[in-house]
Amino acid sequence: MIKKCLFPAAGYGTRFLPATKAMPKEVLPIVNKPLIQYGVEEALATGMHDIAIVTGRGKRALEDHFDISYELEHQISGTQKESYLQDIRLLMEQCTFSYTRQNAMKGLGHAILTGEPLIGREPFGVILADDLCDGGEAGGVLSQMLKIYNKYRCSIVAIQEVPQEDTLKYGVIAGSELEDNVYLVSDMVEKPDPEKAPSNLIIIGRYILTPDIFDILRQTAPGKSGEIQITDALLTQAKRNMVLAYRFKGRRFDCGSVGGFVEATNYYYQQMLAE
Ligand code: G1P
């Protein structure tokens, strides 16, 4: 059983300025639900009830979102409008939320290491809320990954094929196919130029990590952009043990970009109309 899921959420969201000037990007809504709530629902559907969030300055709205708003509850109590709060109430009943702050922007690897006190020595999931995924009939991406984890018991990253020119935006893997859609990772590079990329299989924001990753992260020197990269730590882990990459089933929206955000909004709005 993996019970904990970590959400690195300390970034500034500069691509969404001025919207993110006073509001964390993770609470920007896709239709009527904050981006991070989709992620927490995915974690919960995977059986990960303990939600650990790495926040930063100016991110109080995140904590407030997963807490009771007495005034609001009081105002709408007994009215039709209560139904709007049904999903979030359910999440709050079924999950625990804990927070810690990353006080310096030193990269995703550093953000994950900052979450160590909330995780401890057990395997855990990681969701980057920016990557909004709909696994459709195959179920949530993290649930799909958990099935692989239960078989191999090692760190796993979710991957997707992209046009070669896009490799410079992502972590990229190389590996040999172990079984359908599951690759044994032999190389991993953070945001390589297309001509130097080992493949066009890129890492998306879903990870299952074994806790030895924390010791590796502590020893990992800053890499691309002078930041501590989870991609570099995972390559070390792949050399010592084994790391798998799983080509997930479903769709992913890059909600870290305005285009992807709008695409997701249209998609989820259509889903809502069809319900
Ligand atoms: C991070 C990771 C990168 C991964 C991406 C997925 O990059 O460092 O390896 O491909 O998330 O969204 P970021 O988007 O934070 O620059």
Side-chain angles (χ1 to χ4, degrees), residues 108 128 131 170-171 190-191 203-205 207 229 231 252:
L108 179 57
L128 308 185
D131 278 337
Y170 303 102
E190 182 66 10
K191 304 193 174 89
I203 302 166
I204 67 142
Y207 304 78
Q229 300 293 347
T231 306
R252 160 186 166 269

Side-chain angles (χ1 to χ4, degrees), residues 161-170 172 191-197 199-202:
E161 210 170 331
V162 295
Q164 192 75 28
E165 65 265 25
D166 284 349
T167 58
L168 79 182
K169 295 195 266 181
Y170 303 102
V172 178
K191 304 193 174 89
D193 290 335
E195 59 277 12
K196 291 197 187 127
S199 77
N200 64 341
L201 295 172
I202 62 107

Side-chain angles (χ1 to χ4, degrees), residues 133-165:
C133 296
D134 181 4
E137 284 180 5
V141 175
L142 212 52
S143 303
Q144 296 175 37
M145 293 167 76
L146 186 63
K147 288 187 190 136
I148 319 271
Y149 175 81
N150 286 337
K151 187 164 168 194
Y152 295 98
R153 307 261 158 191
C154 65
S155 290
I156 305 170
V157 298
I159 53 165
Q160 175 185 21
E161 210 170 331
V162 295
Q164 192 75 28
E165 65 265 25

